């Protein structure tokens, strides 16, 4: 059950725009607003990967 | 039954890789290649909501779809409406759910046709700016392809589609920003271009846009996997594990979506001006790529719209044949397959009507307004996967109120996807789909106890 925290994190990371609505720090010339949200795509894939691997074979997921 | 399952669900036999291509081919559409970049080009930062949307859709998918897949496999369901009929024992609710799916798919298909039109429009052989001829070509292509192919062919074509799209995006991202002097320049030039528009826009959100942005991302994410075409592709998976793995693997496509969104800024930065923002991506490719490669990118966009449009037609037709037409045909088998195939043509034709009669400002609004309709099955379908608490008549009332609220808000805001709510001396602009879902949930939840009391349990 506690593994479900992994599934909640992407919502917290991406649905509160004041957290990331700024220019700095930039990465490769890309403002924070943009690369931060792109980074969450990768982070989410990783979190889901961990979730899928750790909960394999359980019937409640 | 067997035949319909073959044509519409590919025999429920797809493994992780085929499902990955099929779902990717199905979920990433002209929305991704044309509509999102057009919105970013037109309104700036707000258009980037598609990235958090395409991120949080996956944790939702993981939880909802694995549950639905297991129930559907155990009971032999082909659609969401099959499940709803069984769970609530209500034929009316079944038809309501099915019809919602069919209707909501139409504007989404319309978006695909608009995407193809943007490419065909550029071909002088069709008469420069010949929007109508271009649209006709797109429609005929879709109708012919869908009628012949079925889901298996679409899974096969999805491989080709994805290869073309990945080649296009990688080329665009490596070629275009350096030609404009690097990303820092792209953003600076785009910010300047957006500020000088008749309706100035910014590359950051304004404070009142915070809620709009989050509500568009969240509402879209909730609706993505309850569309008939998503369900169709999900049920074609061989096992639960295939779905779980895909929830973790599919976000790779979302990265593409994000990079494509930024092409909207590349277009603004390179001074591309078009009366219709839908055209900016094809125009951008034509400007920076040699002719032979522009041909490939055009093909990528057309196939990228064609494959999902076909799957949407199949999903919608499947839903109609299984859950609305069903009563009239005692033998589900061959009659139903034939009806489903003919219905795909009807669905495509109705989608065309949306383009003519719903005056949306941006192509993406087709998808967003369709999403507002689609989301109204959320209480009956998604919540129903975990609870039997809701009364079917309450769900039906909630659904009806949600739909009326969606349409009223869409009309009041001139077919844009956001509605401004004035209450308690302030105002809050948010995605219509979420407001309508709130109406739906309140009605469903408050009528349930009343109806329970009235009837002997």
């Amino acid at each position: 059950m506690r593994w479900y925290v992994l599934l909640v994190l992407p919502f917290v990371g991406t649905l509160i725009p004041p957290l990331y609505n700024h220019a700095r720090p930039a990465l490769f010339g890309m403002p924070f607003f943009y690369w931060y949200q792109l980074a969450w795509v990768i982070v989410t894939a990783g979190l889901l990967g961990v979730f899928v691997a750790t909960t394999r074979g359980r019937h409640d997921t | 039954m067997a035949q319909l399952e073959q044509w519409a669900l590919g025999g429920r036999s797809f493994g992780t890789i085929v499902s990955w291509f099929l779902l990717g081919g199905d979920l990433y559409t002209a929305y991704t290649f044309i509509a999102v970049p057009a919105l970013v080009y037109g309104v700036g930062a707000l258009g980037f909501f598609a990235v958090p949307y395409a991120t949080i859709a996956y944790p939702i998918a993981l939880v909802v779809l694995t549950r639905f897949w297991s129930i559907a496999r155990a009971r032999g369901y082909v659609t969401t409406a099959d499940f709803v009929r069984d769970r609530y024992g209500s034929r009316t609710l079944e038809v309501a759910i099915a019809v919602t799916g069919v209707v909501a798919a139409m504007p989404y298909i319309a978006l695909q046709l608009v995407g193809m039109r943007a490419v065909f429009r550029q071909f002088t052989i069709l008469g420069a700016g010949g929007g109508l001829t271009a649209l006709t070509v797109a429609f005929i292509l879709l109708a012919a392809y869908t009628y012949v192919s079925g889901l298996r062919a679409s899974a096969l074509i999805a491989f080709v589609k994805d290869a073309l799209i990945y080649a296009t995006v990688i080329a665009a991202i490596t070629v275009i920003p350096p030609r404009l002097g690097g990303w820092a320049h792209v953003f600076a030039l785009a910010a300047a271009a957006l500020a000088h528009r008749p309706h100035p826009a910014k590359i950051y959100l304004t404070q009142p846009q915070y809620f709009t942005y989050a509500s568009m991302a969240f509402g879209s994410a909730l609706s993505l996997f309850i569309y008939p075409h998503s369900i169709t592709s999900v049920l074609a998976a061989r096992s639960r594990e295939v779905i779980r793995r895909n929830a973790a693997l599919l976000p790779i496509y979302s990265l593409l979506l994000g990079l494509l969104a930024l092409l909207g800024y590349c277009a603004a930065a390179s001074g591309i001006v078009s009366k219709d923002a839908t055209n900016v991506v094809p125009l951008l490719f034509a400007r920076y790529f040699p002719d032979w490669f522009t041909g490939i990118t055009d093909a990528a966009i057309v196939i990228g719209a064609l494959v999902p449009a076909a799957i949407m037609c199949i999903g919608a037709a499947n839903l109609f044949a299984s859950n609305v037409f069903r009563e009239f045909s005692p033998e589900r088998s061959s009659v139903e397959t034939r009806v489903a195939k003919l219905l795909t043509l009807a669905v495509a034709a109705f989608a065309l009507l949306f383009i003519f009669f719903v005056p949306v400002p941006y192509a993406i609004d087709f998808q967003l307004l369709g999403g507002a309709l689609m989301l109204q099955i959320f209480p009956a379908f998604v919540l129903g996967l975990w609870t039997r608490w809701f009364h079917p008549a309450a769900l039906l009332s909630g659904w009806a109120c949600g739909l009326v609220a969606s349409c009223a808000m869409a009309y009041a805001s001139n077919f844009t996807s956001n509605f401004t709510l004035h209450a308690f001396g302030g105002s809050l602009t948010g995605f219509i789909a979420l407001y309508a879902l709130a109406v739906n949930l309140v009605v469903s939840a408050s009528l349930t106890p009343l109806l329970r009391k009235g009837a002997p349990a």
Side-chain angles (χ1 to χ4, degrees), chain B residues 44-86:
Chain B
L46 190 62
F48 211 64
F49 86 90
V51 173
Y53 151 41
T55 306
I56 59 177
Y58 291 104
I60 297 175
L62 183 62
V63 175
V64 174
L65 293 181
T66 44
R67 177 119 184 144
F68 179 60
W69 187 93
S70 301
I71 298 175
R73 171 53 65 94
R75 305 282 185 99
Y77 301 144
V78 180
T79 65
T80 49
D82 285 346
F83 162 77
V84 166
R85 176 196 60 234
D86 246 23

Side-chain angles (χ1 to χ4, degrees), chain A residues 12-22 33 36-37, chain B residues 205-207 209-215:
Chain A
V12 181
T14 62
L15 290 183
I16 311 171
L19 286 182
Y20 53 80
N21 189 35
H22 25 251
F33 179 83
Y36 170 86
Q37 292 184 80
Chain B
L205 297 172
T206 59
Q207 212 186 340
Q209 284 179 331
Y210 287 164
F211 180 74
T212 317
Y213 190 83
S215 70

Side-chain angles (χ1 to χ4, degrees), chain B residues 377-389:
Chain B
I377 77 161
F378 189 89
F381 170 49
V382 179
L383 298 185
L385 291 170
W386 281 276
T387 176
R388 290 169 188 275
W389 181 78

